[in-house]
Amino acid sequence: DLVRSRGLGDVYKRQVLPIFGVGGVQLFAAEATGPTHDKVHPRIGVTAKWIWSIYLGLTIAEVFLLLLGGMDVFDSVCHSLTTTATGGYSTKQNSIAAFHSPYIEYVITLFMFLSGINFTLLFLFFLKGKFKRLIENTEFHWYLGTVGCFTLFTTVTLVLTSPMGIEESFRKAIFQVVSLQTTTGFISADYMTWVPVLWTLMCIIMLFGACAGSTSGGIKCIRIAIMSRVSRNEFKRIIHPNAVLPVRINRQVISSTTKSAILAFTFLYIAIVFIGWLLLMILGVGFEEAYSVVISSLGNVGPGIGKCGPSYSWSGLPDMAKWISALRKSLSIHEKRKKTIYNDRIPNLWLTLRPLNKNHHYEQYTEDLYFSFIFPALDNNSGTRRVCVSKEFILSEIKRNLFLSANTKSV
């Protein structure tokens, strides 16, 4: 129940609360720091039901598939709940490795991967059939690409350095990559028995994280995508110093405010890693164990490397180190959240009016809603006008039926 409520709570906070933009509460969470927030439905109750239906559907589907693989009802339900929530808790001491089942490993890998995708994209894909929205999403490209690259490197390395065959190497590689990148934390093999280069790779994977709008932790692929394009533009600006080089994600230009916020968040994330690493080493924790514990606890992953690896626990850490790790787990939730802004007393709203046709129809854009209405008096030769009107004026105009329609539109 705790793991399930954690997953549903994360989905609610990251997908439902940010759409309260008109006359309510705007929650700017770093989990939804992408340039757009896809709108599922204008009614908050319907939005919650649809997103939770995706969450519940994934859970039930995994339970059914795990039962087909020979897992009993109790284990199927428990592992399905902790997979969709990317919690990673298992009823077995050896986690998923205890079942010795390739089928179960593939099933859990699939649902861990799906749970790392933005739940709004899953809704549009499964319930609306908008496959194009999924495959054209920039963050999904990065998520799929990083999982594919890490899996390929790990598979080739295991084939060359271990007695495992190609299929087993691929299965163990993709399971661990997806488990750590989605910060689920399930284990299908003790990766400490692999070559040391893969130990470091596992820690790097923990830093990446999956998609914003999912229940996973980490830095998130959308931030990495934006930072990479900012870096690319800076190199281009060296050659063309006067060039205007906007950063575009999903065909939208990213504002300088968003870029600054993402850079600040990433800097703080890395700074906390190094500070925590230093503190744990001062307390007597080993070099490898210290940085893996810091990264794992900050991303809410679970396993580390060395004596804190998959076959061990964190019980051997000094008491103070455990307190520091618990604090970092708390920071991994609260540092990713910007200030909640209550705008009920903001008197005015800035509206941008664009002409729709020669009859002076205008389209007014806000963050969450589109309204089409007629202003015959606004006869000018310019293409766009900005006017400042009060919220009371908007409400009165709605009541007088001067707005022709009110339709939600995804950016």
Side-chain angles (χ1 to χ4, degrees):
D1 288 341
L2 289 175
V3 174
R4 185 170 180 81
S5 64
R6 171 221 170 184
L8 289 175
D10 283 350
V11 172
Y12 182 83
K13 288 183 292 184
R14 299 171 187 178
Q15 292 297 321
V16 176
L17 290 181
I19 72 171
F20 275 110
V22 180
V25 179
Q26 292 182 337
L27 179 62
F28 297 96
E31 301 305 326
T33 54
T36 64
H37 304 299
D38 290 327
K39 310 305 185 299
V40 176
H41 194 275
R43 295 182 61 86
I44 187 65
V46 176
T47 300
K49 289 178 182 178
W50 284 354
I51 292 178
W52 286 353
S53 67
I54 293 295
Y55 188 97
L56 182 61
L58 290 175
T59 304
I60 294 175
E62 186 179 359
V63 170
F64 177 74
L65 292 177
L66 290 179
L67 289 174
L68 292 180
M71 189 180 290
D72 60 45
V73 176
F74 176 76
D75 288 337
S76 298
V77 172
C78 290
H79 286 88
S80 297
L81 293 177
T82 57
T83 299
T84 312
T86 61
Y89 288 99
S90 175
T91 58
K92 306 298 182 181
Q93 179 66 29
N94 293 329
S95 190
I96 307 304
F99 295 99
H100 303 287
S101 171
Y103 172 83
I104 290 176
E105 292 180 22
Y106 280 124
V107 168
I108 293 180
T109 300
L110 172 62
F111 282 91
M112 285 191 298
F113 180 82
L114 291 176
S115 300
I117 301 175
N118 187 310
F119 273 71
T120 301
L121 292 177
L122 291 179
F123 164 78
L124 294 173
F125 175 67
F126 286 115
L127 298 185
K128 295 295 184 179
K130 296 182 179 180
F131 180 69
K132 188 177 181 180
R133 288 289 299 275
L134 178 65
I135 62 176
E136 291 182 350
N137 184 268
T138 302
E139 184 177 25
F140 180 73
H141 291 169
W142 275 82
Y143 179 43
L144 185 62
T146 52
V147 168
C149 291
F150 289 141
T151 300
L152 179 61
F153 181 85
T154 305
T155 300
V156 173
T157 304
L158 289 177
V159 169
L160 297 177
T161 61
S162 72
M164 292 186 289
I166 296 178
E167 187 279 329
E168 185 179 4
S169 297
F170 170 76
R171 173 163 40 91
K172 300 299 182 182
I174 192 171
F175 185 96
Q176 288 308 141
V177 168
V178 174
S179 176
L180 297 181
Q181 184 158 347
T182 59
T183 67
T184 305
F186 281 138
I187 298 298
S188 66
D190 184 3
Y191 51 75
M192 289 306 300
T193 61
W194 300 349
V195 291
V197 65
L198 295 180
W199 305 350
T200 304
L201 181 65
M202 296 298 111
C203 290
I204 295 175
I205 293 172
M206 295 180 196
L207 285 173
F208 270 69
C211 298
S214 68
T215 58
S216 63
I219 294 177
K220 297 291 191 304
C221 290
I222 188 63
R223 296 191 184 97
I224 298 174
I226 293 176
M227 287 190 298
S228 67
R229 297 190 179 187
V230 170
S231 301
R232 181 190 62 184
N233 285 352
E234 290 303 317
F235 281 106
K236 289 183 177 180
R237 193 168 283 112
I238 296 175
I239 303 175
H240 307 285
N242 296 324
V244 178
L245 303 171
V247 175
R248 287 187 173 89
I249 297 292
N250 297 327
R251 300 178 182 178
Q252 290 191 42
V253 177
I254 306 301
S255 66
S256 58
T257 302
T258 301
K259 290 186 289 186
S260 299
I262 291 174
L263 292 173
F265 171 86
T266 306
F267 171 79
L268 290 175
Y269 199 98
I270 301 302
I272 292 174
V273 169
F274 278 97
I275 293 173
W277 185 1
L278 179 61
L279 289 177
L280 291 188
M281 291 185 66
I282 292 176
L283 294 173
V285 181
F287 182 86
E288 295 176 349
E289 291 81 1
Y291 79 80
S292 67
V293 165
V294 170
I295 295 173
S296 181
S297 60
L298 190 56
N300 279 326
V301 183
I305 64 174
K307 296 181 180 178
C308 297
S311 298
Y312 301 90
S313 69
W314 293 11
S315 59
L317 293 175
D319 292 340
M320 183 57 67
K322 295 175 182 176
W323 279 106
I324 294 175
S325 299
L327 176 62
R328 281 195 303 273
K329 285 182 179 291
S330 176
L331 287 175
S332 68
I333 299 174
H334 295 290
E335 73 170 349
K336 299 174 185 176
R337 186 176 305 151
K338 294 182 182 179
K339 182 180 179 182
T340 300
I341 303 176
Y342 296 88
N343 65 343
D344 290 333
R345 296 187 179 277
I346 297 178
N348 299 319
L349 297 175
W350 280 99
L351 311 178
T352 300
L353 306 178
R354 300 181 181 90
L356 298 180
N357 54 44
K358 61 183 180 181
N359 294 325
H360 304 293
H361 286 69
Y362 285 83
E363 183 179 66
Q364 168 243 330
Y365 168 78
T366 65
E367 182 180 359
D368 297 295
L369 295 177
Y370 275 80
F371 296 100
S372 297
F373 52 93
I374 299 177
F375 276 111
L378 297 180
D379 188 6
N380 66 347
N381 296 323
S382 62
T384 300
R385 295 190 62 184
R386 286 180 62 85
V387 297
C388 184
V389 298
S390 65
K391 292 191 296 184
E392 291 75 12
F393 170 79
I394 295 177
L395 294 176
S396 64
E397 295 300 287
I398 293 176
K399 293 178 181 179
R400 293 170 52 191
N401 295 320
L402 292 183
F403 289 90
L404 297 180
S405 63
N407 302 309
T408 59
K409 181 176 181 181
S410 297
V411 179

